[in-house]
Amino acid sequence: MTQPPATLPPIKLLIAAPRGFCAGVDRAIIIVEKAIEKYGAPVYVRHEIVHNKYVVDNLRAKGAIFVEELDAVPDGKPVVFSAHGVPKSVPERAGERALPYLDATCPLVSKVHRQAERQVELGRHILFIGHKGHPEVIGTFGQVPEGAMTLVETVEDAEALMVIDPDKLAFLTQTTLSVDDTAAIVAVLTHRFPTIEAPRGEDICYATSNRQAAVKAIADECDAILVIGAPNSSNSLRLVEVAERAGTPARLIQRATEIDFAWLDGVRTLGLTAGASAPEILVREVVTHIGARFAITEEQVETARERIAFKLPRGLEAA
């Protein structure tokens, strides 16, 4: 790293690891890129493929067109479903219209979908821990018949919940939740309904858990933390909450230009991380931007190593 002029005030950057792209996001982006190679532009994408403007704009420049509903996709044009998952009715509708489609749903979200179907087949009502209106929640609810699942957002929801048959319950969770918040809700549910069926393994994905653990690891040493991510990115918002619960002020930014340097007055040690939809290039952009104002000492704090990769859908491997 080029040494900045000595006149600049010093700042230590603690950069959390793991951070940034997870295997599901990597896979989703590659699916769109390979679909464009295979079919030619344009390729339509239902909903943002992942919640990151930089990524979406980059794919749009390559030939992706982002739409909210299938009705906006012209007949015969290929369409990709986002990493967050979609209700069953969406691929069914695509099939009815003979639209070529590729499902970029994260395999860890698909695992939750399969568990939801299994629990309903066993006659259980599902209590789903998640955030109302999030695409992943909408997609998961769309895997089962209407009324088979109840959304639980808070501990208060869990405490007030009324159910018809307390011995025929299961719970599942959104994959991008706060680990601590979810544990508190689960504790209430298991106390109130001792026979409730838990998911097979942890529903909160490895990337969400790892990024939250990494923020916890640096929070005590930092005067402030910056989280790179989109305001509609659940896992990025949770990283801000994790930092603040540890007593460290935190801010969410999408790009380096959103940094308010007045907020860094008096900050000697600044933490930096990125949500699972934010590419590493944005981390380096932020470091460079801060380096124009401060003499940076940079240190990475690694709490886990991620080696997970997901296979692409059939038909794209050779693209």
Side-chain angles (χ1 to χ4, degrees):
M1 182 186 295
T2 303
Q3 292 298 317
T7 53
L8 294 178
I11 195 167
K12 183 177 183 179
L13 283 187
L14 289 186
I15 305 180
R19 63 181 177 275
F21 277 1
C22 62
V25 166
D26 259 333
R27 175 179 179 271
I29 293 168
I30 291 170
I31 286 172
V32 175
E33 291 173 339
K34 286 191 173 291
I36 293 169
E37 288 178 31
K38 180 175 180 177
Y39 296 104
V43 165
Y44 287 78
V45 183
R46 184 187 178 277
H47 192 69
E48 290 184 344
I49 187 69
V50 296
H51 285 155
N52 186 273
K53 185 177 185 299
Y54 179 91
V55 171
V56 168
D57 287 347
N58 191 41
L59 291 173
R60 187 179 285 119
K62 293 179 179 180
I65 295 177
F66 293 88
V67 298
E68 287 304 310
E69 298 298 340
L70 281 186
D71 292 346
V73 180
D75 290 342
K77 292 295 184 181
V79 60
V80 179
F81 304 144
S82 81
H84 310 100
V86 295
K88 278 184 176 179
S89 59
V90 174
E92 287 171 359
R93 175 64 178 143
E96 290 168 1
R97 292 187 54 200
L99 297 175
Y101 68 83
L102 292 161
D103 190 351
T105 301
C106 173
L108 299 180
V109 174
S110 296
K111 184 189 79 170
V112 177
H113 290 180
R114 291 193 296 270
Q115 290 187 89
E117 290 175 316
R118 188 181 307 117
Q119 295 296 357
V120 170
E121 287 170 1
L122 293 170
R124 296 190 180 103
H125 184 83
I126 299 167
L127 305 180
F128 190 79
I129 304 170
H131 298 298
K132 184 178 181 180
H134 190 277
E136 184 182 331
V137 174
I138 293 169
T140 305
F141 268 69
Q143 305 305 308
V144 297
E146 190 172 351
M149 195 180 292
T150 298
L151 184 65
V152 180
E153 294 192 85
T154 64
V155 165
E156 291 73 24
D157 286 349
E159 289 170 340
L161 198 63
M162 301 297 290
V163 299
I164 295 172
D165 187 349
D167 291 322
K168 281 289 187 179
L169 293 176
F171 75 85
L172 297 171
T173 83
Q174 187 178 328
T175 63
T176 54
L177 299 178
S178 159
V179 173
D180 295 337
D181 282 352
T182 304
I185 294 171
V186 169
V188 173
L189 294 179
T190 53
H191 175 73
R192 291 193 62 204
F193 312 114
T195 61
I196 194 169
E197 183 78 9
R200 294 183 181 180
E202 179 62 71
D203 279 349
I204 296 177
C205 81
Y206 77 95
T208 297
S209 299
N210 286 348
R211 279 148 192 71
Q212 290 178 24
V215 167
K216 288 179 182 178
I218 65 171
D220 287 346
E221 299 181 55
C222 296
D223 301 309
I225 291 178
L226 290 176
V227 177
I228 303 169
N232 60 340
S233 166
S234 176
N235 74 84
S236 299
L237 293 170
R238 303 295 79 77
L239 294 176
V240 174
E241 292 173 359
V242 166
E244 291 181 335
R245 285 181 182 176
T248 307
R251 293 240 175 133
L252 183 72
I253 58 169
Q254 295 195 77
R255 299 293 298 267
T257 51
E258 293 182 8
I259 295 173
D260 179 359
F261 281 102
W263 190 67
L264 299 183
D265 286 348
V267 172
R268 297 297 184 90
T269 302
L270 177 65
L272 183 60
T273 189
S277 302
E280 182 65 15
I281 192 171
L282 298 186
V283 176
R284 302 320 307 173
E285 176 188 272
V286 166
V287 173
T288 299
H289 196 61
I290 294 172
R293 299 281 194 102
F294 292 90
I296 292 175
T297 303
E298 189 177 330
E299 179 184 337
Q300 179 167 275
V301 179
E302 185 176 69
T303 56
R305 292 202 174 182
E306 297 176 346
R307 297 182 175 88
I308 293 175
F310 297 129
K311 292 181 180 179
L312 296 177
R314 289 179 183 175
L316 280 190
E317 296 92 337

